[in-house]
Amino acid sequence: MMQNSNINPEEENRMIDAAYQNLLNGYLSSNHRKKVEIIDRAFKFARDAHQGIRRRSGEPYIMHPIAVATIVSQEIGLGSTSISASLLHDVVEDTDYTVEDIKAQFGEKIARIVDGLTKISGGIFGDKASVQAENFRKLLLTMSEDVRVILIKMADRLHNMRTLSSMPPNKQYKIAGETLYIYAPLAQRLGLYAIKTELEDLSFKYNHPQEYERISSLIEASEEQRNELFARFSAPIRERLDNMGLDYTFTVRVKSCYSIWKKMQMKHIPFEEVYDLYAARIVFQCDKEYDEKRLCWSIYDQITEVYTKHPDRVRDWLTTPKVNKYQALHVTVMGPDGNWVEVQIRSHRMDDIAERGFAAHWKYKLGEGEEEKELAKWLQTITDILKEPEPNAIDFLDTIKLNLFSSEIIVFTPKGEPMTMPKGASVLDLAFALHTDLGTHCIAGKVNHELVPSSYKLNSGDQVEIITSNTQYPQPEWMQVVVTAKGKARLRQALRHQRRLIIDKGEQRFMDFLAKHNIEFSNEILSQAISRQFVGSKDELYFMIGNDEIQLNEAMLNKKGQGARFNWWRRNPFKGKEAPKETTQDLSQAIDTKMVYRLETRDGVSNYRIADCCHPIPGDDTVGFLTEDNKVVVHKMDCPMLARLKASYGSRLLETQWEEYSDRFQASIHIIGIDQKGILQSIVNIISTNMSINMKKMSVTADQGVFNCDLDVLVSDATVVTNLCREIKKVKGVTNATRTN
Ligand code: MN
């Protein structure tokens, strides 16, 4: 709440009283029974409860409940119970008073409404809103046994939207998006057209400020021309209506900025080409309701005698009103400038209903003292609408699904909880947003029940399930997939944590190894190991040990500092020859095949490194490459990287032969198949349960029903991989499984 430095308390009290008086005046001029006493008590109670609290705009807080009550009374047409509840609607949430206090002071009915309003501010309309399609209407019903709760909430939102400019921009976006997403469609369903239009326009204004400005000024700029055109269009009709002796108004109404913009978007047309920019409206006075329909059709006749009507654009909502009681006759005719013009024909009563929904409807039918009965009927109608299967919940969500948010999307968890994410967020972002553990173990996602890779970019309205695996761990490459600041921070932390765990494991192994050989740990031993392994630091050494990249052996501990003897490479096979230059040449022929050397280990030392690019495993044909610092890196014979090295450094190639089969080597497998339920689970079962193979990494994608899986496993030799592929191929749905390196 902001503090306003130059407040004049007297002036402020006058402002509050004036606003309240305006509320009362409106109420007193309505058809409701005049129950001023309870409204008055509610006002004073709320005013005292919010005493000293200010809104962000600097206004005294009580101005908000008064404004909400005024909307409830004058724009929705509700009575004293709702007005009182509106005045009290934020008391329980924002002050120390409880629902019990409200009940004691104002009775059960008002207390229940206030309770409902307090609950839904943290419920369906709150941050943790649950708006899954099937459940949406059900939730509305169960969470608000009294429909007035929804109507008051609607008024609350409308006032918050009207005063949205005092919120910071990021909140504006969120609130405006939510309004467009939940409240405007709801207002439409409830027949609150004026409120729906205003909510949409306000949302649009904050979501797309520049577009809003542009369209507003275009409407303004075209006003004169429009008025001229309308004068020409209406003149001959006026003449005829005057001759009928009708009491009427004939006006032109420009559509809302939002609906014009929506049309431009949907039809991909510029402003100038929105031909139904405005609608003409004839509203006539008629005392007898039974005369209304006849008069509508008479007016229709007059219009269509002057202008040609569009054959498909006559809307008769007289005979069968819309479900929300909207009644009118619409006809579209060709105007004098050759453009179609829609004319809406209504009686005053119908017009009132059109603008204010049900609230207006019952107002016209009252005998004295019938308000409560009629109101109850109306509220029942709304309840029926919400229960009604047509138009169904999916239609409702269609409006919702329109991705009209400029910077944010809303996606849903399988339980229907919405999550606001920035545009461009991936499945992995969502996983991290939900929980770090979900993020670090995420292997894929299911978006709208289809399997997608964790890099999949989410769209508004997507329902997303995160698929995890206990054997998955965070990868540095994920930094490219995660776009949210929160996701990046959590991933970075997870990666650090991951590395730390491996370092600790490596350190433990190193210490155990020393203990086993009765060697006392010393810095000398450590630095020896570091230099022998060509690593830069203690952490790097431990990391490589922990990550199975360095195998511990006794030769590492040569105390005399003689160093390991790299005598497992014996001879340069290219010695005395020109190194081959042609990269496409078959490598096996470049090497002197007559000389067979064993990749020898000495005292258990296997001080070679397995190439990262091709991950050869025992059983593969391999070639060694001697690096500048006398290390040997073992590549697969057909490794493309080796082919490149060969071109420049052919003389450093060594023939190798496997000796040890006990190590754990990394192999990659690609699996392709038809995506079906349980396929992933079956594959994982074969790997980890049936064959007890260590899974290092797994990434899954599914595109149009095609299942793709890349798998890294740790194995002792190539035959294990061959067997594994054979087993995986037996899984239902799998069409192929092959080793990729
Ligand atoms: Mn409020």
Side-chain angles (χ1 to χ4, degrees):
M1 303 295 153
M2 267 172 38
Q3 286 300 315
N4 196 331
S5 51
N6 37 15
I7 311 152
N8 177 342
E10 268 174 43
E11 208 171 282
E12 219 167 74
N13 284 338
R14 267 201 301 279
M15 176 174 79
I16 294 169
D17 287 343
Y20 176 60
Q21 201 52 54
N22 173 49
L23 165 68
L24 272 190
N25 292 344
Y27 172 69
L28 289 170
S29 65
S30 75
N31 278 11
H32 288 278
R33 262 184 300 164
K34 313 300 182 237
K35 294 202 247 175
V36 175
E37 186 269 339
I38 193 157
I39 296 177
D40 214 45
R41 275 201 294 125
F43 164 64
K44 284 173 181 145
F45 188 91
R47 185 189 58 192
D48 295 346
H50 293 299
Q51 184 69 50
I53 312 289
R54 291 179 184 283
R55 299 195 92 206
R56 191 171 262 281
S57 60
E59 273 186 340
Y61 196 88
I62 187 66
M63 294 301 283
H64 167 64
I66 294 173
V68 173
T70 309
I71 293 167
V72 158
S73 164
Q74 293 169 22
E75 295 179 53
I76 305 182
L78 296 172
S80 60
T81 303
S82 306
I83 293 172
S84 305
S86 302
L87 287 167
L88 297 165
H89 84 271
D90 277 333
V91 165
V92 174
E93 191 165 357
D94 295 346
T95 75
D96 293 337
Y97 289 104
T98 64
V99 175
E100 291 308 308
D101 297 329
I102 304 284
K103 192 172 158 187
Q105 295 266 343
F106 301 97
E108 176 89 44
K109 204 159 51 176
I110 290 178
R112 264 224 308 272
I113 297 174
V114 173
D115 188 33
L117 284 161
T118 310
K119 275 190 192 135
I120 60 177
S121 68
I124 45 168
F125 296 121
D127 289 340
K128 298 241 158 66
S130 193
V131 257
Q132 204 181 12
E134 315 84 87
N135 292 333
F136 190 75
R137 279 173 311 138
K138 249 186 255 162
L139 265 161
L140 284 178
L141 285 172
T142 50
M143 297 204 63
S144 50
E145 42 188 297
D146 194 327
V147 144
R148 280 175 282 208
V149 171
I150 294 177
L151 296 169
I152 295 169
K153 191 66 203 173
M154 199 67 80
D156 184 33
R157 175 52 60 122
L158 180 58
H159 184 243
N160 285 335
M161 284 302 289
R162 284 176 181 170
T163 53
L164 195 60
S165 61
S166 53
M167 294 299 264
N170 63 329
K171 283 235 166 134
Q172 286 177 357
Y173 269 127
K174 185 174 185 300
I175 294 169
E178 210 177 78
T179 299
L180 201 56
Y181 195 90
I182 298 172
Y183 292 82
L186 192 53
Q188 179 170 31
R189 296 289 282 124
L190 299 176
L192 304 170
Y193 290 112
I195 290 180
K196 173 228 167 203
T197 305
E198 189 176 347
L199 286 177
E200 280 180 348
D201 242 25
L202 285 168
S203 299
F204 176 52
K205 180 176 165 182
Y206 288 100
N207 273 336
H208 301 273
Q210 282 153 7
E211 289 290 276
Y212 180 85
E213 275 310 313
R214 198 170 69 84
I215 292 174
S216 300
S217 58
L218 283 169
I219 290 173
E220 223 178 276
S222 60
E223 194 185 344
E224 205 176 315
Q225 191 199 356
R226 191 166 49 244
N227 287 343
E228 240 170 68
L229 207 63
F230 179 65
R232 260 206 293 156
F233 173 76
S234 60
I237 299 173
R238 280 185 197 281
E239 207 183 301
R240 286 162 175 260
L241 298 187
D242 289 343
N243 286 340
M244 282 170 71
L246 212 60
D247 179 6
Y248 69 97
T249 57
F250 196 176
T251 52
V252 60
R253 291 209 170 201
V254 181
K255 288 196 167 169
S256 70
C257 280
Y258 173 72
S259 55
I260 291 170
W261 178 76
K262 212 167 71 177
K263 190 147 235 166
M264 288 162 62
Q265 299 292 306
M266 263 161 49
K267 299 198 162 175
H268 305 286
I269 49 173
F271 179 84
E272 292 71 27
E273 284 171 35
V274 181
Y275 76 86
D276 52 352
L277 202 60
Y278 61 91
R281 184 175 296 166
I282 296 169
V283 179
F284 60 90
Q285 204 64 52
C286 176
D287 296 337
K288 303 179 189 79
E289 206 178 314
Y290 59 81
D291 259 350
E292 285 177 344
K293 288 182 196 171
R294 191 184 55 79
L295 278 171
C296 283
W297 286 111
S298 304
I299 295 167
Y300 168 87
D301 286 340
Q302 298 301 327
I303 297 169
T304 50
E305 271 171 34
V306 181
Y307 298 113
T308 314
K309 70 171 184 189
H310 190 301
D312 304 327
R313 282 171 177 263
V314 179
R315 297 278 180 272
D316 171 14
W317 280 303
L318 299 172
T319 329
T320 45
K322 284 190 188 179
V323 65
N324 50 32
K325 301 283 199 282
Y326 178 86
Q327 272 186 299
L329 184 59
H330 293 188
V331 57
T332 300
V333 295
M334 176 72 75
D337 64 336
N339 280 324
W340 295 109
V341 180
E342 183 181 84
V343 186
Q344 303 169 348
I345 308 163
R346 310 167 176 170
S347 72
H348 249 293
R349 185 191 64 86
M350 294 172 181
D351 187 56
D352 225 6
I353 292 168
E355 295 295 301
R356 294 172 47 193
F358 304 95
H361 187 69
W362 55 271
K363 163 180 138 182
Y364 284 90
K365 296 188 164 178
L366 295 187
E368 193 58 36
E370 276 182 49
E371 311 90 10
E372 285 296 315
K373 226 169 72 192
E374 282 297 325
L375 180 61
K377 251 199 238 166
W378 174 47
L379 296 176
Q380 186 55 47
T381 322
I382 294 182
T383 311
D384 289 346
I385 284 186
L386 293 172
K387 276 184 189 155
E388 200 200 330
E390 285 300 324
N392 62 30
I394 302 300
D395 283 356
F396 187 59
L397 266 196
D398 276 347
T399 328
I400 282 175
K401 267 196 156 186
L402 284 176
N403 183 7
L404 296 164
F405 310 102
S406 54
S407 63
E408 283 186 336
I409 57 168
I410 297 183
V411 297
F412 300 93
T413 67
K415 284 182 183 159
E417 280 174 20
M419 295 284 298
T420 306
M421 302 292 293
K423 214 172 184 169
S426 61
V427 168
L428 202 52
D429 277 303
L430 179 66
F432 274 110
L434 290 165
H435 198 280
T436 302
D437 279 352
L438 273 182
T440 54
H441 291 115
C442 173
I443 53 170
K446 273 203 169 174
V447 170
N448 305 324
H449 309 293
E450 288 211 20
L451 203 59
V452 297
S454 54
S455 59
Y456 179 87
K457 293 226 178 309
L458 298 170
N459 295 306
S460 238
D462 279 348
Q463 195 202 53
V464 192
E465 189 182 331
I466 306 295
I467 298 175
T468 58
S469 161
N470 284 336
T471 47
Q472 179 73 301
Y473 59 87
Q475 313 288 326
E477 308 90 85
W478 291 4
M479 285 311 273
Q480 266 87 62
V481 173
V482 170
V483 299
T484 54
K486 188 184 189 178
K488 276 191 190 293
R490 287 189 167 176
L491 173 58
R492 212 172 284 126
Q493 201 186 3
L495 285 170
R496 266 203 302 271
H497 180 66
Q498 175 74 24
R499 187 175 161 81
R500 194 69 247 168
L501 285 180
I502 295 172
I503 289 172
D504 289 350
K505 187 165 100 185
E507 181 171 8
Q508 194 54 51
R509 279 188 189 169
F510 188 68
M511 295 306 169
D512 289 350
F513 179 77
L514 294 184
K516 197 177 126 199
H517 292 88
N518 292 316
I519 299 163
E520 213 181 310
F521 174 82
S522 69
N523 282 335
E524 197 199 343
I525 297 260
L526 183 62
S527 47
Q528 235 173 53
I530 290 171
S531 69
R532 297 253 170 80
Q533 298 298 331
F534 308 98
V535 293
S537 69
K538 176 181 78 178
D539 277 359
E540 204 181 329
L541 175 75
Y542 289 155
F543 180 82
M544 288 178 83
I545 295 171
N547 210 28
D548 297 318
E549 289 175 53
I550 291 177
Q551 309 298 322
L552 290 166
N553 54 62
E554 281 147 61
M556 275 173 96
L557 311 167
N558 189 333
K559 286 181 203 154
K560 304 264 184 306
Q562 289 164 356
R565 292 160 61 189
F566 298 104
N567 56 355
W568 37 265
W569 51 273
R570 292 243 173 95
R571 210 194 85 167
N572 181 348
F574 298 111
K575 201 169 186 179
K577 295 181 195 169
E578 267 282 297
K581 289 198 174 66
E582 182 54 59
T583 50
T584 51
Q585 193 182 341
D586 183 3
L587 202 66
S588 58
Q589 286 170 11
I591 296 171
D592 187 349
T593 46
K594 272 174 261 165
M595 318 282 280
V596 176
Y597 297 97
R598 295 179 71 216
L599 195 154
E600 227 174 61
T601 58
R602 186 190 157 80
D603 302 330
V605 177
S606 54
N607 203 358
Y608 55 87
R609 205 158 61 73
I610 297 296
D612 290 333
C613 45
C614 54
H615 293 288
I617 60 177
D620 288 338
D621 290 331
T622 54
V623 176
F625 177 75
L626 179 63
T627 61
E628 303 258 21
D629 47 19
N630 277 356
K631 278 190 85 175
V632 172
V633 180
V634 181
H635 288 267
K636 271 164 79 171
M637 185 79 86
D638 53 5
C639 172
M641 173 62 85
L642 183 69
R644 222 179 305 153
L645 290 171
K646 180 192 71 176
S648 322
Y649 311 100
S651 61
R652 295 205 194 155
L653 296 180
L654 308 163
E655 182 154 344
T656 54
Q657 189 172 306
W658 295 102
E659 189 181 60
E660 274 193 52
Y661 282 70
S662 59
D663 283 331
R664 296 244 135 199
F665 295 91
Q666 186 177 320
S668 299
I669 292 169
H670 181 75
I671 304 163
I672 187 161
I674 308 300
D675 184 25
Q676 50 184 258
K677 203 163 175 257
I679 187 168
L680 195 61
Q681 196 52 48
S682 306
I683 292 169
V684 171
N685 277 349
I686 287 174
I687 299 161
S688 49
T689 316
N690 300 8
M691 297 185 72
S692 308
I693 290 169
N694 237 330
M695 193 158 64
K696 228 189 147 191
K697 191 166 128 188
M698 185 177 203
S699 73
V700 177
T701 64
D703 188 21
Q704 292 162 354
V706 178
F707 171 88
N708 273 284
C709 173
D710 284 302
L711 194 64
D712 287 355
V713 287
L714 293 177
V715 293
S716 56
D717 63 70
T719 55
V720 178
V721 185
T722 314
N723 290 341
L724 179 59
C725 287
R726 200 183 54 225
E727 287 306 308
I728 289 175
K729 273 190 234 172
K730 290 180 187 164
V731 172
K732 196 165 167 252
V734 170
T735 49
N736 206 3
T738 47
R739 183 169 160 215
T740 46
N741 66 42

